[in-house]
Amino acid sequence: MKPQGGSTRPQGVAAPDPQRLSLNTATTKERWGLAQAIEGCARHGIRGISPWRDQLQAMGVAQAAAAIRAHGLTVTGLCRGGLFPAATAALRAAAIADNLRAVEEAHAIGAQCLVLVVGGLPEGSRDLAGAREQVREGIAAVLPAARAAGVPLAIEPLHPMYAADRACVNTLAQALDLCEALDPQGVQGPVALGVAVDVYHVWWDPQLEAQIARAGRRVLAHHICDWRVQTRDLLTDRGMMGDGVIDLPRIRGWVRATGYAGFDEVEIFSALDWWTRDPDEVLAVCKERHQRCC
Ligand code: ZN
């Protein structure tokens, strides 16, 4: 494995702006609640934050909004809505209702988008096409409220290894088909439905460059980490930027080429390594790796 090397930055790709680094709080969730993460970002000069809903609710939405505002942080997303497919109509309606609450929470904290992890197969089902149709129906049901609140929905395609249990939208192409079908206005006007480009999930896709270009203004978020070749856990073994094999500078260049001027959001699930460390150390390493490896 290439240790902490990182890739050479392709010609024409500018160095990352340290003012455009965001912390997805999954990275520090084992040791810090949201209040501590907000303070930590401020202390380290990290200007963006992307909270998870459980931590947001634990802190209190109003308190979190006030603390985020007080430190002048940009909320690069709220994680997460979605999880639409379910075995019964009542459960699907409950999922939609929960997504509507998520839109309200995202609006309350000024989030730039609500990230959607769309959900996998319903309990006991093998009907993948049916699950994908339920995702489409779920997003369609939430979209008007999102549009009215000014909170765009960002579909995050997940690596296909999560198709059964987390997300049956697995490529940017699939996500963009949904965007174009459900939010045709987004081509010209404000984007109500776009995508979160998380390198962990899409780095392997032979169509990645073309699909990022196709996304254009629909790129609403860019999540970064790295892919460890010796992955020890399907969910909680993401690498720090530079510790794996993802060509981060190249992908960031493709993302920037769409006109995306937003943040690079570090999102690292790492039960065996980064979650065990002092979050102050983790944030310092995130900043350094963002500059050197992205
Ligand atoms: Zn992500």
Side-chain angles (χ1 to χ4, degrees):
M1 188 178 85
K2 189 169 47 178
Q4 302 180 21
S7 315
T8 312
R9 203 166 284 140
Q11 264 198 335
V13 177
D17 179 355
Q19 299 296 310
R20 286 282 182 276
L21 176 64
S22 175
L23 176 72
N24 183 299
T25 63
T27 310
T28 53
K29 70 172 183 170
E30 292 296 306
R31 292 181 172 228
W32 279 355
L34 182 53
Q36 289 170 297
I38 292 166
E39 296 285 334
C41 284
R43 195 162 59 244
H44 287 268
I46 293 175
R47 305 305 304 148
I49 192 163
S50 180
W52 280 63
R53 290 183 69 204
D54 54 344
Q55 289 202 328
L56 178 63
Q57 288 160 7
M59 182 175 180
V61 176
Q63 288 92 325
I68 288 165
R69 229 182 357 256
H71 288 294
L73 302 181
T74 298
V75 182
T76 54
L78 175 64
C79 293
R80 59 190 185 185
L83 305 180
F84 293 109
T88 67
L91 288 172
R92 291 193 289 278
I96 289 167
D98 188 53
N99 275 269
L100 295 174
R101 285 191 291 277
V103 168
E104 287 175 18
E105 291 166 7
H107 177 70
I109 60 170
Q112 292 183 331
C113 62
L114 173 64
V115 173
L116 298 185
V117 171
V118 297
L121 288 169
E123 183 85 34
S125 169
R126 292 188 174 87
D127 182 5
L128 190 53
R132 287 172 171 154
E133 183 54 32
Q134 290 181 13
V135 166
R136 180 193 174 94
E137 288 166 6
I139 294 173
V142 177
L143 198 55
R147 194 178 273 127
V151 176
L153 305 177
I155 302 171
E156 181 164 334
L158 259 53
H159 191 285
M161 67 184 172
Y162 302 115
D165 63 346
R166 280 189 168 72
C168 58
V169 171
N170 306 105
T171 63
L172 269 179
Q174 254 185 301
L176 289 167
D177 286 348
L178 282 166
C179 292
E180 290 166 9
L182 297 175
D183 180 41
Q185 304 94 310
V187 175
Q188 303 277 342
V191 170
L193 185 59
V195 292
V197 179
D198 185 325
V199 296
Y200 193 74
H201 297 301
V202 298
W203 70 277
W204 56 272
D205 184 349
Q207 290 187 33
L208 186 57
E209 180 179 11
Q211 293 300 324
I212 289 174
R214 173 187 168 196
R217 305 164 59 236
R218 293 194 199 267
V219 176
L220 299 176
H222 179 219
H223 298 177
I224 55 173
C225 66
D226 214 333
W227 181 277
R228 293 169 35 82
V229 174
Q230 304 297 331
T231 292
R232 296 161 292 185
D233 185 280
L234 293 186
L235 186 63
T236 62
D237 196 26
R238 296 189 185 201
M240 177 64 68
M241 296 82 75
D243 286 348
V245 293
I246 301 180
D247 192 343
L248 293 162
R250 189 172 302 277
I251 296 175
R252 197 174 59 81
W254 294 338
V255 167
R256 296 279 148 184
T258 66
Y260 177 80
F263 284 65
D264 302 324
E265 179 179 319
V266 182
E267 183 185 36
I268 299 177
F269 295 74
S270 173
L272 294 168
D273 189 350
W274 299 98
W275 283 352
T276 70
R277 303 199 196 192
D278 177 355
D280 276 304
E281 178 200 347
V282 175
L283 264 54
V285 174
C286 285
K287 286 173 62 178
E288 191 269 328
R289 298 291 184 85
H290 178 232
Q291 283 302 293
R292 186 156 59 83
C293 303
C294 293

